[in-house]
Amino acid sequence: VQRLGFTMNTFMQDIDVLLMPMAPRAPWKVDDVTLVMPTEEFYKKAVGYSDFSAIFNATGQPAMTLPLHENAAGIPVGTHFAARYGDEKTLIRLAAQIERAAPWDKRVSPMLAQAMKARFPPLPRPTHCSRSPTCCSSATTTAGPAPS
């Protein structure tokens, strides 16, 4: 592993950032892979999902994945970036610039939305609130009144 780290350090000497896909295939479905499944089954399903990230896990180089694209099913496709060893600041600056240009914080994949809806159904809206007459006004969400 150390030799790999030295090799990557030499390779990255004149490169600021590497850009690659996060994985060579679309993500698996919710609950298709779990931590309680047999190890052999997990490995069979997980093979091919870390082809581009594994090297950076081994070398300790800073790397990040950003959800910059969606496939035809609306599933986020990760774009993977890696920098020179010890150069986390370049990745953080890059992520901030990309977030300003193409915000992703409001996007939710259909798969995640379906899983969240199934696991966390909305709570009923309160019919009254004993805190104050205006407590249950427009600030009320499906989770109840806004905290005072």
Short mmCIF file of all heavy atoms in Angstrom, two decimals, residues 27-97:
data_model
loop_
_atom_site.label_atom_id
_atom_site.label_comp_id
_atom_site.label_asym_id
_atom_site.label_seq_id
_atom_site.Cartn_x
_atom_site.Cartn_y
_atom_site.Cartn_z
N PRO A 27 -26.42 2.86 -9.01
CA PRO A 27 -26.49 2.33 -7.65
C PRO A 27 -27.56 1.25 -7.50
O PRO A 27 -28.51 1.19 -8.29
CB PRO A 27 -26.84 3.55 -6.79
CG PRO A 27 -27.41 4.54 -7.74
CD PRO A 27 -26.84 4.24 -9.08
N TRP A 28 -27.39 0.41 -6.50
CA TRP A 28 -28.39 -0.62 -6.25
C TRP A 28 -29.62 0.00 -5.62
O TRP A 28 -29.61 1.15 -5.17
CB TRP A 28 -27.84 -1.74 -5.38
CG TRP A 28 -27.18 -1.29 -4.11
CD1 TRP A 28 -27.79 -0.73 -3.02
CD2 TRP A 28 -25.80 -1.34 -3.77
NE1 TRP A 28 -26.89 -0.44 -2.04
CE2 TRP A 28 -25.65 -0.82 -2.47
CE3 TRP A 28 -24.67 -1.80 -4.42
CZ2 TRP A 28 -24.42 -0.73 -1.82
CZ3 TRP A 28 -23.45 -1.71 -3.77
CH2 TRP A 28 -23.34 -1.17 -2.50
N LYS A 29 -30.69 -0.75 -5.59
CA LYS A 29 -31.95 -0.27 -5.05
C LYS A 29 -31.92 -0.28 -3.52
O LYS A 29 -31.16 -1.03 -2.91
CB LYS A 29 -33.11 -1.13 -5.55
CG LYS A 29 -33.29 -1.02 -7.04
CD LYS A 29 -34.43 -1.87 -7.52
CE LYS A 29 -34.54 -1.70 -9.04
NZ LYS A 29 -35.40 -2.65 -9.63
N VAL A 30 -32.75 0.56 -2.92
CA VAL A 30 -32.85 0.63 -1.47
C VAL A 30 -33.15 -0.76 -0.94
O VAL A 30 -34.01 -1.47 -1.46
CB VAL A 30 -33.97 1.63 -1.05
CG1 VAL A 30 -34.18 1.60 0.45
CG2 VAL A 30 -33.62 3.03 -1.51
N ASP A 31 -32.45 -1.15 0.08
CA ASP A 31 -32.58 -2.45 0.77
C ASP A 31 -32.12 -3.64 -0.07
O ASP A 31 -32.25 -4.78 0.36
CB ASP A 31 -34.02 -2.69 1.25
CG ASP A 31 -34.42 -1.73 2.37
OD1 ASP A 31 -33.51 -1.25 3.08
OD2 ASP A 31 -35.61 -1.46 2.50
N ASP A 32 -31.54 -3.40 -1.26
CA ASP A 32 -30.99 -4.50 -2.05
C ASP A 32 -29.69 -4.99 -1.43
O ASP A 32 -29.32 -6.15 -1.58
CB ASP A 32 -30.77 -4.04 -3.50
CG ASP A 32 -30.54 -5.20 -4.44
OD1 ASP A 32 -31.03 -6.31 -4.15
OD2 ASP A 32 -29.86 -5.00 -5.46
N VAL A 33 -28.98 -4.10 -0.77
CA VAL A 33 -27.75 -4.44 -0.07
C VAL A 33 -27.89 -3.94 1.36
O VAL A 33 -28.22 -2.78 1.58
CB VAL A 33 -26.52 -3.79 -0.75
CG1 VAL A 33 -25.26 -4.06 0.04
CG2 VAL A 33 -26.37 -4.29 -2.17
N THR A 34 -27.69 -4.83 2.32
CA THR A 34 -27.83 -4.45 3.73
C THR A 34 -26.64 -4.96 4.53
O THR A 34 -25.90 -5.84 4.06
CB THR A 34 -29.11 -5.03 4.34
OG1 THR A 34 -28.98 -6.46 4.40
CG2 THR A 34 -30.35 -4.65 3.54
N LEU A 35 -26.48 -4.44 5.71
CA LEU A 35 -25.38 -4.87 6.57
C LEU A 35 -25.67 -6.20 7.25
O LEU A 35 -24.79 -6.79 7.86
CB LEU A 35 -25.08 -3.79 7.61
CG LEU A 35 -24.57 -2.47 7.05
CD1 LEU A 35 -24.40 -1.45 8.17
CD2 LEU A 35 -23.27 -2.66 6.30
N VAL A 36 -26.90 -6.67 7.17
CA VAL A 36 -27.25 -7.94 7.83
C VAL A 36 -27.27 -9.12 6.86
O VAL A 36 -27.49 -10.25 7.27
CB VAL A 36 -28.60 -7.84 8.57
CG1 VAL A 36 -28.51 -6.82 9.69
CG2 VAL A 36 -29.72 -7.48 7.61
N MET A 37 -27.00 -8.88 5.58
CA MET A 37 -26.99 -9.99 4.63
C MET A 37 -25.69 -10.78 4.78
O MET A 37 -24.71 -10.26 5.31
CB MET A 37 -27.17 -9.48 3.20
CG MET A 37 -26.03 -8.66 2.68
SD MET A 37 -26.20 -7.98 0.99
CE MET A 37 -27.82 -8.28 0.50
N PRO A 38 -25.68 -12.02 4.34
CA PRO A 38 -24.46 -12.81 4.41
C PRO A 38 -23.30 -12.12 3.68
O PRO A 38 -23.49 -11.49 2.64
CB PRO A 38 -24.83 -14.12 3.71
CG PRO A 38 -26.33 -14.19 3.80
CD PRO A 38 -26.81 -12.77 3.78
N THR A 39 -22.11 -12.22 4.22
CA THR A 39 -20.94 -11.53 3.69
C THR A 39 -20.70 -11.85 2.22
O THR A 39 -20.44 -10.96 1.42
CB THR A 39 -19.69 -11.89 4.52
OG1 THR A 39 -19.96 -11.59 5.89
CG2 THR A 39 -18.48 -11.12 4.06
N GLU A 40 -20.81 -13.12 1.85
CA GLU A 40 -20.57 -13.51 0.47
C GLU A 40 -21.55 -12.83 -0.48
O GLU A 40 -21.18 -12.37 -1.57
CB GLU A 40 -20.68 -15.03 0.29
CG GLU A 40 -19.69 -15.83 1.11
CD GLU A 40 -20.11 -15.98 2.57
OE1 GLU A 40 -21.32 -15.94 2.90
OE2 GLU A 40 -19.21 -16.11 3.41
N GLU A 41 -22.81 -12.76 -0.07
CA GLU A 41 -23.82 -12.10 -0.90
C GLU A 41 -23.53 -10.61 -1.03
O GLU A 41 -23.65 -10.02 -2.10
CB GLU A 41 -25.21 -12.32 -0.31
CG GLU A 41 -26.34 -11.77 -1.16
CD GLU A 41 -27.71 -11.98 -0.54
OE1 GLU A 41 -27.82 -12.70 0.48
OE2 GLU A 41 -28.67 -11.42 -1.07
N PHE A 42 -23.13 -9.98 0.08
CA PHE A 42 -22.78 -8.56 0.07
C PHE A 42 -21.65 -8.30 -0.92
O PHE A 42 -21.73 -7.40 -1.75
CB PHE A 42 -22.37 -8.09 1.46
CG PHE A 42 -21.85 -6.68 1.48
CD1 PHE A 42 -22.72 -5.61 1.51
CD2 PHE A 42 -20.49 -6.43 1.44
CE1 PHE A 42 -22.25 -4.30 1.50
CE2 PHE A 42 -20.01 -5.13 1.44
CZ PHE A 42 -20.89 -4.07 1.48
N TYR A 43 -20.58 -9.10 -0.85
CA TYR A 43 -19.44 -8.90 -1.75
C TYR A 43 -19.82 -9.08 -3.21
O TYR A 43 -19.37 -8.33 -4.08
CB TYR A 43 -18.28 -9.83 -1.38
CG TYR A 43 -17.54 -9.38 -0.15
CD1 TYR A 43 -17.22 -10.27 0.85
CD2 TYR A 43 -17.16 -8.05 0.03
CE1 TYR A 43 -16.53 -9.87 1.99
CE2 TYR A 43 -16.48 -7.63 1.15
CZ TYR A 43 -16.17 -8.55 2.13
OH TYR A 43 -15.51 -8.13 3.25
N LYS A 44 -20.67 -10.06 -3.51
CA LYS A 44 -21.11 -10.28 -4.89
C LYS A 44 -21.85 -9.05 -5.43
O LYS A 44 -21.67 -8.66 -6.57
CB LYS A 44 -22.01 -11.51 -4.99
CG LYS A 44 -21.26 -12.81 -4.93
CD LYS A 44 -22.23 -13.97 -5.03
CE LYS A 44 -21.51 -15.29 -4.83
NZ LYS A 44 -22.44 -16.43 -4.81
N LYS A 45 -22.69 -8.46 -4.60
CA LYS A 45 -23.47 -7.30 -5.03
C LYS A 45 -22.63 -6.02 -5.04
O LYS A 45 -22.88 -5.12 -5.84
CB LYS A 45 -24.69 -7.11 -4.13
CG LYS A 45 -25.73 -8.19 -4.35
CD LYS A 45 -26.98 -7.90 -3.56
CE LYS A 45 -28.04 -8.95 -3.89
NZ LYS A 45 -29.32 -8.60 -3.34
N ALA A 46 -21.65 -5.93 -4.14
CA ALA A 46 -20.87 -4.70 -4.00
C ALA A 46 -19.74 -4.58 -5.02
O ALA A 46 -19.24 -3.48 -5.25
CB ALA A 46 -20.31 -4.61 -2.58
N VAL A 47 -19.33 -5.69 -5.63
CA VAL A 47 -18.23 -5.65 -6.60
C VAL A 47 -18.59 -4.70 -7.74
O VAL A 47 -19.69 -4.73 -8.28
CB VAL A 47 -17.95 -7.08 -7.15
CG1 VAL A 47 -17.05 -7.01 -8.38
CG2 VAL A 47 -17.33 -7.93 -6.08
N GLY A 48 -17.66 -3.85 -8.07
CA GLY A 48 -17.86 -2.92 -9.18
C GLY A 48 -18.40 -1.57 -8.77
O GLY A 48 -18.60 -0.72 -9.61
N TYR A 49 -18.63 -1.34 -7.49
CA TYR A 49 -19.13 -0.04 -7.06
C TYR A 49 -18.03 0.88 -6.54
O TYR A 49 -18.27 2.06 -6.33
CB TYR A 49 -20.21 -0.20 -5.98
CG TYR A 49 -21.53 -0.60 -6.57
CD1 TYR A 49 -21.97 -1.91 -6.51
CD2 TYR A 49 -22.33 0.33 -7.22
CE1 TYR A 49 -23.17 -2.28 -7.07
CE2 TYR A 49 -23.53 -0.03 -7.78
CZ TYR A 49 -23.95 -1.35 -7.70
OH TYR A 49 -25.14 -1.71 -8.27
N SER A 50 -16.84 0.36 -6.32
CA SER A 50 -15.78 1.22 -5.78
C SER A 50 -14.53 1.18 -6.66
O SER A 50 -13.44 1.47 -6.20
CB SER A 50 -15.43 0.78 -4.36
OG SER A 50 -14.94 -0.55 -4.37
N ASP A 51 -14.71 0.86 -7.93
CA ASP A 51 -13.56 0.74 -8.83
C ASP A 51 -12.71 2.01 -8.88
O ASP A 51 -11.49 1.94 -8.96
CB ASP A 51 -14.03 0.41 -10.26
CG ASP A 51 -14.67 -0.97 -10.34
OD1 ASP A 51 -14.70 -1.67 -9.33
OD2 ASP A 51 -15.15 -1.31 -11.44
N PHE A 52 -13.34 3.18 -8.84
CA PHE A 52 -12.60 4.42 -8.96
C PHE A 52 -12.21 5.04 -7.62
O PHE A 52 -11.33 5.88 -7.56
CB PHE A 52 -13.41 5.44 -9.77
CG PHE A 52 -13.69 4.96 -11.17
CD1 PHE A 52 -14.95 4.51 -11.52
CD2 PHE A 52 -12.71 4.97 -12.13
CE1 PHE A 52 -15.22 4.07 -12.80
CE2 PHE A 52 -12.96 4.52 -13.42
CZ PHE A 52 -14.23 4.06 -13.75
N SER A 53 -12.86 4.64 -6.55
CA SER A 53 -12.57 5.25 -5.24
C SER A 53 -11.61 4.42 -4.39
O SER A 53 -10.96 4.96 -3.51
CB SER A 53 -13.87 5.48 -4.47
OG SER A 53 -14.52 4.26 -4.23
N ALA A 54 -11.51 3.13 -4.64
CA ALA A 54 -10.71 2.25 -3.78
C ALA A 54 -9.25 2.68 -3.69
O ALA A 54 -8.65 2.63 -2.62
CB ALA A 54 -10.82 0.81 -4.27
N ILE A 55 -8.68 3.13 -4.79
CA ILE A 55 -7.28 3.51 -4.77
C ILE A 55 -7.02 4.67 -3.81
O ILE A 55 -6.02 4.70 -3.11
CB ILE A 55 -6.75 3.83 -6.19
CG1 ILE A 55 -5.24 3.95 -6.17
CG2 ILE A 55 -7.41 5.06 -6.75
CD1 ILE A 55 -4.61 4.00 -7.55
N PHE A 56 -7.96 5.60 -3.72
CA PHE A 56 -7.78 6.75 -2.84
C PHE A 56 -8.02 6.37 -1.38
O PHE A 56 -7.43 6.96 -0.48
CB PHE A 56 -8.66 7.91 -3.31
CG PHE A 56 -8.39 8.23 -4.75
CD1 PHE A 56 -9.31 7.90 -5.73
CD2 PHE A 56 -7.20 8.81 -5.13
CE1 PHE A 56 -9.04 8.15 -7.06
CE2 PHE A 56 -6.91 9.07 -6.46
CZ PHE A 56 -7.85 8.73 -7.43
N ASN A 57 -8.87 5.38 -1.15
CA ASN A 57 -9.03 4.85 0.20
C ASN A 57 -7.72 4.22 0.66
O ASN A 57 -7.34 4.33 1.82
CB ASN A 57 -10.15 3.81 0.25
CG ASN A 57 -11.51 4.42 0.01
OD1 ASN A 57 -11.73 5.59 0.27
ND2 ASN A 57 -12.44 3.63 -0.48
N ALA A 58 -7.03 3.56 -0.25
CA ALA A 58 -5.78 2.89 0.09
C ALA A 58 -4.62 3.87 0.27
O ALA A 58 -3.81 3.73 1.18
CB ALA A 58 -5.42 1.85 -0.97
N THR A 59 -4.54 4.89 -0.60
CA THR A 59 -3.40 5.80 -0.55
C THR A 59 -3.58 6.92 0.47
O THR A 59 -2.60 7.56 0.86
CB THR A 59 -3.15 6.46 -1.93
OG1 THR A 59 -4.28 7.27 -2.28
CG2 THR A 59 -2.88 5.42 -2.99
N GLY A 60 -4.80 7.18 0.87
CA GLY A 60 -5.05 8.27 1.82
C GLY A 60 -5.14 9.63 1.16
O GLY A 60 -5.20 10.65 1.85
N GLN A 61 -5.18 9.66 -0.16
CA GLN A 61 -5.33 10.94 -0.85
C GLN A 61 -6.73 11.48 -0.63
O GLN A 61 -7.68 10.71 -0.55
CB GLN A 61 -5.12 10.76 -2.35
CG GLN A 61 -3.70 10.49 -2.75
CD GLN A 61 -3.65 10.19 -4.22
OE1 GLN A 61 -3.52 9.05 -4.60
NE2 GLN A 61 -3.75 11.23 -5.03
N PRO A 62 -6.88 12.80 -0.57
CA PRO A 62 -8.22 13.36 -0.43
C PRO A 62 -9.02 13.13 -1.70
O PRO A 62 -8.51 13.26 -2.82
CB PRO A 62 -7.96 14.85 -0.19
CG PRO A 62 -6.61 15.11 -0.75
CD PRO A 62 -5.84 13.83 -0.61
N ALA A 63 -10.26 12.75 -1.52
CA ALA A 63 -11.17 12.52 -2.64
C ALA A 63 -12.58 12.85 -2.18
O ALA A 63 -12.88 12.80 -0.99
CB ALA A 63 -11.08 11.08 -3.12
N MET A 64 -13.43 13.19 -3.13
CA MET A 64 -14.82 13.51 -2.79
C MET A 64 -15.70 13.12 -3.96
O MET A 64 -15.25 13.01 -5.10
CB MET A 64 -14.99 15.00 -2.49
CG MET A 64 -14.78 15.89 -3.69
SD MET A 64 -15.06 17.62 -3.27
CE MET A 64 -14.76 18.39 -4.86
N THR A 65 -16.96 12.90 -3.67
CA THR A 65 -17.94 12.60 -4.70
C THR A 65 -19.08 13.60 -4.59
O THR A 65 -19.58 13.85 -3.49
CB THR A 65 -18.48 11.16 -4.51
OG1 THR A 65 -17.39 10.27 -4.59
CG2 THR A 65 -19.50 10.82 -5.58
N LEU A 66 -19.46 14.17 -5.70
CA LEU A 66 -20.55 15.14 -5.73
C LEU A 66 -21.66 14.63 -6.66
O LEU A 66 -21.37 14.08 -7.73
CB LEU A 66 -20.04 16.50 -6.24
CG LEU A 66 -18.90 17.13 -5.44
CD1 LEU A 66 -18.45 18.43 -6.11
CD2 LEU A 66 -19.32 17.38 -4.01
N PRO A 67 -22.92 14.84 -6.31
CA PRO A 67 -24.05 14.38 -7.13
C PRO A 67 -24.37 15.38 -8.24
O PRO A 67 -25.32 16.15 -8.16
CB PRO A 67 -25.19 14.29 -6.11
CG PRO A 67 -24.87 15.38 -5.13
CD PRO A 67 -23.37 15.43 -5.04
N LEU A 68 -23.58 15.36 -9.29
CA LEU A 68 -23.71 16.40 -10.32
C LEU A 68 -24.59 16.05 -11.51
O LEU A 68 -24.85 16.89 -12.36
CB LEU A 68 -22.31 16.77 -10.83
CG LEU A 68 -21.36 17.31 -9.77
CD1 LEU A 68 -20.03 17.68 -10.39
CD2 LEU A 68 -21.97 18.50 -9.03
N HIS A 69 -25.03 14.83 -11.58
CA HIS A 69 -25.82 14.39 -12.73
C HIS A 69 -26.86 13.39 -12.25
O HIS A 69 -26.73 12.81 -11.19
CB HIS A 69 -24.88 13.73 -13.76
CG HIS A 69 -25.57 13.23 -14.99
ND1 HIS A 69 -26.13 14.06 -15.92
CD2 HIS A 69 -25.80 11.96 -15.42
CE1 HIS A 69 -26.66 13.33 -16.88
NE2 HIS A 69 -26.48 12.06 -16.61
N GLU A 70 -27.90 13.20 -13.03
CA GLU A 70 -28.91 12.18 -12.75
C GLU A 70 -29.05 11.28 -13.97
O GLU A 70 -28.98 11.76 -15.10
CB GLU A 70 -30.26 12.82 -12.44
CG GLU A 70 -30.27 13.61 -11.16
CD GLU A 70 -31.60 14.32 -10.93
OE1 GLU A 70 -32.51 14.22 -11.78
OE2 GLU A 70 -31.74 14.98 -9.91
N ASN A 71 -29.24 9.99 -13.73
CA ASN A 71 -29.47 9.10 -14.86
C ASN A 71 -30.93 9.19 -15.30
O ASN A 71 -31.71 9.98 -14.75
CB ASN A 71 -29.05 7.66 -14.54
CG ASN A 71 -29.87 7.00 -13.45
OD1 ASN A 71 -30.96 7.46 -13.09
ND2 ASN A 71 -29.35 5.92 -12.91
N ALA A 72 -31.33 8.40 -16.28
CA ALA A 72 -32.68 8.47 -16.83
C ALA A 72 -33.75 8.18 -15.78
O ALA A 72 -34.88 8.67 -15.89
CB ALA A 72 -32.82 7.50 -18.01
N ALA A 73 -33.42 7.41 -14.75
CA ALA A 73 -34.37 7.09 -13.68
C ALA A 73 -34.40 8.16 -12.59
O ALA A 73 -35.12 8.03 -11.61
CB ALA A 73 -34.02 5.73 -13.07
N GLY A 74 -33.62 9.23 -12.75
CA GLY A 74 -33.59 10.29 -11.75
C GLY A 74 -32.69 9.98 -10.57
O GLY A 74 -32.72 10.68 -9.56
N ILE A 75 -31.86 8.96 -10.70
CA ILE A 75 -30.94 8.58 -9.62
C ILE A 75 -29.66 9.40 -9.76
O ILE A 75 -29.10 9.50 -10.85
CB ILE A 75 -30.60 7.07 -9.71
CG1 ILE A 75 -31.86 6.23 -9.75
CG2 ILE A 75 -29.67 6.65 -8.59
CD1 ILE A 75 -32.78 6.39 -8.58
N PRO A 76 -29.19 10.00 -8.66
CA PRO A 76 -27.96 10.78 -8.74
C PRO A 76 -26.78 9.92 -9.19
O PRO A 76 -26.63 8.78 -8.77
CB PRO A 76 -27.74 11.26 -7.30
CG PRO A 76 -29.07 11.14 -6.65
CD PRO A 76 -29.76 10.00 -7.32
N VAL A 77 -25.98 10.50 -10.06
CA VAL A 77 -24.75 9.86 -10.52
C VAL A 77 -23.60 10.65 -9.92
O VAL A 77 -23.50 11.87 -10.14
CB VAL A 77 -24.67 9.86 -12.06
CG1 VAL A 77 -23.34 9.29 -12.53
CG2 VAL A 77 -25.84 9.06 -12.65
N GLY A 78 -22.76 9.98 -9.17
CA GLY A 78 -21.66 10.66 -8.50
C GLY A 78 -20.51 10.96 -9.43
O GLY A 78 -20.10 10.13 -10.24
N THR A 79 -19.98 12.16 -9.30
CA THR A 79 -18.77 12.55 -9.99
C THR A 79 -17.68 12.58 -8.93
O THR A 79 -17.83 13.24 -7.90
CB THR A 79 -18.93 13.94 -10.65
OG1 THR A 79 -20.06 13.88 -11.51
CG2 THR A 79 -17.70 14.33 -11.42
N HIS A 80 -16.61 11.84 -9.16
CA HIS A 80 -15.56 11.65 -8.16
C HIS A 80 -14.35 12.53 -8.51
O HIS A 80 -13.93 12.57 -9.66
CB HIS A 80 -15.16 10.17 -8.16
CG HIS A 80 -14.39 9.75 -6.96
ND1 HIS A 80 -14.92 9.77 -5.69
CD2 HIS A 80 -13.14 9.26 -6.83
CE1 HIS A 80 -14.02 9.32 -4.85
NE2 HIS A 80 -12.93 9.01 -5.51
N PHE A 81 -13.83 13.20 -7.51
CA PHE A 81 -12.66 14.06 -7.67
C PHE A 81 -11.60 13.61 -6.67
O PHE A 81 -11.92 13.26 -5.54
CB PHE A 81 -13.01 15.52 -7.35
CG PHE A 81 -14.10 16.10 -8.22
CD1 PHE A 81 -15.43 15.95 -7.89
CD2 PHE A 81 -13.77 16.82 -9.35
CE1 PHE A 81 -16.43 16.49 -8.67
CE2 PHE A 81 -14.77 17.37 -10.15
CZ PHE A 81 -16.10 17.21 -9.81
N ALA A 82 -10.34 13.66 -7.08
CA ALA A 82 -9.24 13.34 -6.17
C ALA A 82 -8.14 14.37 -6.36
O ALA A 82 -7.93 14.88 -7.47
CB ALA A 82 -8.71 11.94 -6.45
N ALA A 83 -7.46 14.67 -5.27
CA ALA A 83 -6.38 15.67 -5.30
C ALA A 83 -5.09 15.05 -4.78
O ALA A 83 -5.06 13.90 -4.35
CB ALA A 83 -6.77 16.88 -4.46
N ARG A 84 -4.05 15.86 -4.81
CA ARG A 84 -2.75 15.41 -4.28
C ARG A 84 -2.85 15.13 -2.79
O ARG A 84 -3.66 15.73 -2.08
CB ARG A 84 -1.70 16.49 -4.48
CG ARG A 84 -1.22 16.67 -5.89
CD ARG A 84 -0.06 17.68 -5.89
NE ARG A 84 -0.08 18.52 -7.05
CZ ARG A 84 -0.75 19.66 -7.17
NH1 ARG A 84 -1.46 20.12 -6.18
NH2 ARG A 84 -0.71 20.36 -8.26
N TYR A 85 -1.99 14.27 -2.33
CA TYR A 85 -1.94 13.93 -0.91
C TYR A 85 -1.76 15.22 -0.09
O TYR A 85 -0.90 16.04 -0.39
CB TYR A 85 -0.77 12.96 -0.64
CG TYR A 85 -0.73 12.48 0.77
CD1 TYR A 85 -1.60 11.49 1.21
CD2 TYR A 85 0.15 13.04 1.69
CE1 TYR A 85 -1.59 11.05 2.51
CE2 TYR A 85 0.17 12.61 3.01
CZ TYR A 85 -0.70 11.61 3.41
OH TYR A 85 -0.69 11.19 4.71
N GLY A 86 -2.61 15.41 0.91
CA GLY A 86 -2.53 16.58 1.77
C GLY A 86 -3.18 17.84 1.22
O GLY A 86 -3.12 18.89 1.84
N ASP A 87 -3.81 17.77 0.05
CA ASP A 87 -4.37 18.96 -0.58
C ASP A 87 -5.90 18.97 -0.52
O ASP A 87 -6.58 19.19 -1.52
CB ASP A 87 -3.88 19.06 -2.03
CG ASP A 87 -4.14 20.43 -2.65
OD1 ASP A 87 -4.43 21.39 -1.90
OD2 ASP A 87 -4.07 20.53 -3.88
N GLU A 88 -6.43 18.75 0.66
CA GLU A 88 -7.88 18.77 0.85
C GLU A 88 -8.49 20.12 0.49
O GLU A 88 -9.61 20.19 -0.02
CB GLU A 88 -8.24 18.43 2.31
CG GLU A 88 -7.99 17.01 2.70
CD GLU A 88 -6.58 16.70 3.16
OE1 GLU A 88 -5.69 17.60 3.05
OE2 GLU A 88 -6.33 15.59 3.62
N LYS A 89 -7.74 21.19 0.72
CA LYS A 89 -8.29 22.53 0.48
C LYS A 89 -8.70 22.73 -0.97
O LYS A 89 -9.68 23.41 -1.25
CB LYS A 89 -7.31 23.61 0.94
CG LYS A 89 -6.05 23.71 0.12
CD LYS A 89 -5.15 24.84 0.62
CE LYS A 89 -3.94 24.95 -0.26
NZ LYS A 89 -2.75 24.34 0.26
N THR A 90 -7.98 22.12 -1.90
CA THR A 90 -8.36 22.25 -3.30
C THR A 90 -9.72 21.63 -3.55
O THR A 90 -10.57 22.20 -4.25
CB THR A 90 -7.29 21.60 -4.21
OG1 THR A 90 -6.08 22.35 -4.08
CG2 THR A 90 -7.72 21.60 -5.67
N LEU A 91 -9.97 20.46 -2.96
CA LEU A 91 -11.26 19.80 -3.14
C LEU A 91 -12.39 20.59 -2.47
O LEU A 91 -13.48 20.70 -3.02
CB LEU A 91 -11.23 18.38 -2.60
CG LEU A 91 -10.35 17.39 -3.37
CD1 LEU A 91 -10.44 16.02 -2.73
CD2 LEU A 91 -10.74 17.34 -4.83
N ILE A 92 -12.13 21.12 -1.30
CA ILE A 92 -13.15 21.90 -0.60
C ILE A 92 -13.51 23.16 -1.40
O ILE A 92 -14.68 23.50 -1.56
CB ILE A 92 -12.69 22.24 0.83
CG1 ILE A 92 -12.61 20.94 1.65
CG2 ILE A 92 -13.63 23.25 1.49
CD1 ILE A 92 -11.91 21.08 2.97
N ARG A 93 -12.50 23.83 -1.92
CA ARG A 93 -12.77 25.02 -2.75
C ARG A 93 -13.54 24.65 -4.01
O ARG A 93 -14.46 25.36 -4.41
CB ARG A 93 -11.45 25.71 -3.12
CG ARG A 93 -10.79 26.41 -1.97
CD ARG A 93 -9.48 27.02 -2.39
NE ARG A 93 -8.81 27.64 -1.27
CZ ARG A 93 -7.50 27.74 -1.15
NH1 ARG A 93 -6.70 27.29 -2.09
NH2 ARG A 93 -6.98 28.31 -0.08
N LEU A 94 -13.14 23.56 -4.64
CA LEU A 94 -13.82 23.10 -5.85
C LEU A 94 -15.28 22.77 -5.55
O LEU A 94 -16.19 23.17 -6.29
CB LEU A 94 -13.11 21.89 -6.44
CG LEU A 94 -13.73 21.26 -7.68
CD1 LEU A 94 -13.79 22.25 -8.83
CD2 LEU A 94 -12.96 20.01 -8.07
N ALA A 95 -15.53 22.05 -4.47
CA ALA A 95 -16.91 21.70 -4.10
C ALA A 95 -17.74 22.95 -3.86
O ALA A 95 -18.90 23.03 -4.29
CB ALA A 95 -16.91 20.81 -2.86
N ALA A 96 -17.17 23.94 -3.19
CA ALA A 96 -17.91 25.19 -2.94
C ALA A 96 -18.24 25.90 -4.25
O ALA A 96 -19.36 26.41 -4.41
CB ALA A 96 -17.09 26.09 -2.02
N GLN A 97 -17.30 25.95 -5.18
CA GLN A 97 -17.55 26.61 -6.47
C GLN A 97 -18.62 25.87 -7.26
O GLN A 97 -19.51 26.49 -7.85
CB GLN A 97 -16.25 26.67 -7.28
CG GLN A 97 -15.23 27.61 -6.70
CD GLN A 97 -13.88 27.50 -7.40
OE1 GLN A 97 -13.71 26.76 -8.36
NE2 GLN A 97 -12.90 28.25 -6.90
#
